[in-house]
Amino acid sequence: MHFDLDENQTMFRDMVRDFARKEIMPLAHRMDQEAMIPADLIAKMRDNGFFGLTFPQEYGGLGVDTITYAVVIEELSRASAGLSVMLTVHNSVGSYPVAMYGSEAARRAFLPRMAAGEIAAFCITEPNAGSDAAALVTSARRTADGWVLNGGKVFVTNGERAAFYVVLARTPGTTGHKDIHAFIVERGAPGLTIAKKEDKMGLRCSDTVAINLEDVQVPAANLLGKEGDGFRVAMSALDGGRIGIAFQALGIGRACLEDAVRYAKTREQFGKPIASLSVIQGMIADMGAELEAARTLGYKAAWLKDQGRPHTKEAAMAKILATEAAWRAADCAVQIHGGYGYCKEYDVERYYRDVRVTRIYEGTSEIQRLVIARKILEEY
Ligand code: CAA
């Protein structure tokens, strides 16, 4: 056992860290305030292959392993968590269902376009189907040559920018998880419309929308997996997605720690830098230890995924540890900055808002605990 990144993983980390420092950090405050991502920044990310990180090379991707992916997401999130969520949703729940469950024709049709920067979104949540994802009611009616979708989805990350939507829908008149199907739907499909854009507390440069589906025709070839596989497709995609969100939170947490340390070393009170006060050191120690523990577990979850081994429990554990550690780190970072930390002039104010949703999306902390407890109860 060893704990070092390999040569390739280190190269990616250094490349993305440099990119984030030069290209993203100078814009992060403005992207948050103006709730936008400049088109030329998206183009630079596309040119660096960020939109095809996890896809096999034969479909135009970089084919990196999950540990490299996790490292990349942490580096991007350290600079802007709003920008990184666009990529993590695209590279996991937005595209994994196509890469893993799409037919060869679907993979060839969609993955190269996604890798080239046409963005993907994931549509599972509905007004009355959040944590209880199997309660979704959007319908998929079979026709002679495909399916017709009707319903509505909420909290669709990337929904406004997306070229592709993975949509979960069920056979009309059914309940439970067995009759849910997964589809890939292209933007521009008649009947697919953006209903509403959310005005969020954090991750303000990322777009989150509700979409309506009204008699949207989907070719039979766009079914992902077999009929009735939809819930399993979604759950397995979320296993990987949760590793990405863990590392998004770790990126925010690291930003909190780095900014708090820098501030504590320069801010003087009682005639000395506040970093010399034991109350401040206690906060810094807890931030560092908790983030490091969560990162180590996150690498283990990513490693299990790369080995093709079950990782549902470890992904849920990594998400809960990382998001809760990062949330506490954000609170400490604001506390260490005092009144300044409450003002937009300092980035910790943004981190504090951005980190909050990581305990909610891709499964709330309560759902992660349910997933972990079910697995442990099965094991022991
Ligand atoms: N991988 C593969 N299959 C899985 C699975 C997994 N991780 N988890 C469950 N399944 C399978 C089960 O084996 C079972 O299969 P069988 O038909 O063979 O029995 C089936 O799915 C049903 O499983 P459960 O009985 O566990 O289902 P449940 O209804 O009790 O729900 C749940 C389980 C874990 C609570 C699930 O509903 C869940 O994860 N809820 C949270 C949803 C969520 O994370 N939403 C986030 C949306 S995306 C987002 O946040 C937006 C964004 O873009 C960032």
Side-chain angles (χ1 to χ4, degrees), residues 278-318:
S278 60
V279 283
I280 301 294
Q281 290 180 3
M283 283 192 253
I284 287 170
D286 286 349
M287 291 161 85
E290 290 186 18
L291 292 170
E292 187 63 24
R295 185 178 293 106
T296 306
L297 183 54
Y299 285 151
K300 181 176 177 192
W303 177 82
L304 285 170
K305 182 167 186 288
D306 285 335
Q307 304 303 308
R309 287 165 57 177
H311 54 280
T312 300
K313 181 183 73 178
E314 290 76 9
M317 286 176 163

Side-chain angles (χ1 to χ4, degrees), residues 124-137 152-155:
I124 186 169
T125 307
E126 298 180 1
N128 293 314
S131 289
D132 184 6
L136 65 90
V137 296
K153 298 287 176 179
V154 295
F155 301 132

Side-chain angles (χ1 to χ4, degrees), residues 28 53 62 78 102 178 199 210 265 267 271 310 333 372:
L53 281 171
L62 296 182
R78 194 265 169 262
K178 302 252 185 232
D199 186 8
K265 283 182 173 175
R267 170 73 171 167
I372 296 163

Side-chain angles (χ1 to χ4, degrees), residues 160-171:
E160 194 177 43
R161 293 186 175 96
F164 303 107
Y165 301 82
V166 170
V167 179
L168 281 297
R170 65 165 58 258
T171 301

Side-chain angles (χ1 to χ4, degrees), residues 45-64 90-91 99 104 107-118:
M45 295 195 311
R46 186 191 59 217
D47 295 345
N48 277 283
F50 291 174
F51 286 97
L53 281 171
T54 50
F55 307 179
Q57 289 178 346
E58 58 181 305
Y59 302 110
L62 296 182
V64 304
H90 171 87
N91 271 284
E104 185 53 26
R107 285 188 203 144
R108 296 224 169 272
F110 299 116
L111 291 178
R113 290 173 59 190
M114 290 178 178
E118 292 189 60

Side-chain angles (χ1 to χ4, degrees), residues 85 89 93 101 122 124-125 130-134 155-157 177-178 231-233 235-236 238-239 242 245 312 360-364 367-368 370-371 374-375:
V85 74
V89 165
V93 287
Y101 300 98
F122 179 64
I124 186 169
T125 307
S131 289
D132 184 6
F155 301 132
V156 180
T157 302
H177 66 269
K178 302 252 185 232
F231 197 71
R232 193 166 57 86
V233 170
M235 289 299 118
S236 63
L238 280 165
D239 285 343
R242 288 168 184 166
I245 302 304
T312 300
I360 297 173
Y361 64 18
E362 300 217 12
T364 60
I367 288 298
Q368 308 310 321
L370 179 146
V371 169
R374 281 183 181 176
K375 290 287 177 198

